[in-house]
Amino acid sequence: GRMSGQDLISFHEDPEDHHRRSSTYILSLYDSDNRDHHELRGDRRASLLDFDPIFPSIEQKPETSSELKAKAMQEIIDTEKSYVAALHVLQEVFLIPLRNRINTKNQIISEEEVKAIFPFVDVIISLNETFLQALQDTLSREGSIGDVFMQHKDYFKVYLDYGNMYNKSIETVMKLRKKNSNFDTFLEECRKNTKTQRLQLPDYLIQPIQR
């Protein structure tokens, strides 16, 4: 006859019916004495993970000290690459176009203003390109990254000079944007340039400070 609601509940909760619908392999992992067929026995839970192809047991080999060293150096190199790429955007999108227009009919800002906004930028770019190449060479011959830093430590003093000029750089940008509409338009065009990823000039000028 027709099953009542209670009969349907009992039917769905019947562990024997659960056994019939389960695979023989999975059933063997369950505790046949346990009427709650949703709990795996502790000593067999590992068996499921060990032998079930869905959860293959993979023994990971620990990394050696040389592998860890190479990985750490590669991370430093990748960071340096990104930094140098950002410096090139600063130079190619902002600095060079402004500098090339000095003393022409298309001049946007003066030579003094260019120097105030971009102090030591060319020097920093040259330094970090050399530094990046040295890091890559050291990685390829499994040398010491500490030696690379020591060899370049004196050159990095230019960052102190840049830091001392940074506030004046930003102040010059802010002042020129207010009084020089051509400069403001130029910066807006630069922001729309795909190379800048919609970042503005101050976003690039602060990068050496963040190093």
Side-chain angles (χ1 to χ4, degrees):
R2 181 176 298 177
M3 289 185 179
S4 67
Q6 185 61 41
D7 291 332
L8 286 172
I9 294 173
S10 299
F11 176 78
H12 285 295
E13 290 182 346
D14 181 9
E16 294 301 320
D17 178 72
H18 183 82
H19 277 285
R20 286 194 297 272
R21 290 183 290 104
S22 301
S23 69
T24 303
Y25 173 70
I26 296 299
L27 266 177
S28 68
L29 301 175
Y30 280 76
D31 184 352
S32 59
D33 297 327
N34 188 346
R35 297 187 62 82
D36 182 359
H37 294 282
H38 297 286
E39 288 294 329
L40 282 172
R41 283 169 48 179
D43 60 338
R44 292 184 179 179
R45 187 178 293 111
S47 298
L48 175 61
L49 297 178
D50 288 343
F51 300 109
D52 193 326
I54 299 176
F55 304 104
S57 177
I58 301 175
E59 184 179 349
Q60 293 187 344
K61 188 177 180 180
E63 293 179 300
T64 65
S65 59
S66 60
E67 289 173 336
L68 290 172
K69 175 184 174 182
K71 181 182 290 186
M73 181 173 279
Q74 187 60 57
E75 289 178 356
I76 293 174
I77 290 174
D78 291 342
T79 301
E80 191 66 19
K81 281 182 179 179
S82 297
Y83 173 57
V84 170
L87 290 178
H88 276 293
V89 172
L90 175 62
Q91 184 184 53
E92 295 167 10
V93 177
F94 297 96
L95 171 55
I96 291 177
L98 289 171
R99 187 162 56 194
N100 286 347
R101 297 181 190 187
I102 294 173
N103 296 327
T104 72
K105 64 178 182 179
N106 296 319
Q107 176 174 308
I108 296 176
I109 59 177
S110 67
E111 182 176 0
E112 291 73 20
E113 289 166 337
V114 169
K115 290 180 178 179
I117 296 173
F118 305 96
F120 308 104
V121 167
D122 292 318
V123 176
I124 289 174
I125 291 175
S126 178
L127 164 63
N128 282 90
E129 285 178 334
T130 302
F131 180 63
L132 174 58
Q133 186 60 56
L135 288 174
Q136 292 172 321
D137 292 343
T138 300
L139 178 62
S140 64
R141 56 183 171 80
E142 299 184 357
S144 169
I145 190 172
D147 291 342
V148 179
F149 279 97
M150 291 301 295
Q151 291 165 3
H152 292 79
K153 65 176 184 177
D154 291 336
Y155 299 106
F156 285 114
K157 291 178 181 177
V158 70
Y159 278 86
L160 295 176
D161 297 326
Y162 184 89
N164 292 332
M165 298 290 293
Y166 174 72
N167 286 340
K168 182 181 178 181
S169 170
I170 297 301
E171 289 171 2
T172 303
V173 172
M174 301 295 287
K175 181 175 64 177
L176 286 173
R177 291 202 73 164
K178 291 179 180 179
K179 74 173 188 178
N180 187 332
S181 60
N182 289 334
F183 181 66
D184 189 56
T185 300
F186 170 79
L187 292 185
E188 184 61 25
E189 290 173 352
C190 290
R191 188 179 69 84
K192 294 177 181 178
N193 188 313
T194 56
K195 290 183 179 179
T196 65
Q197 299 179 337
R198 302 192 71 80
L199 296 177
Q200 301 191 48
L201 177 56
D203 297 319
Y204 287 95
L205 290 172
I206 199 174
Q207 299 242 3
I209 300 298
Q210 294 176 331
R211 296 298 284 174

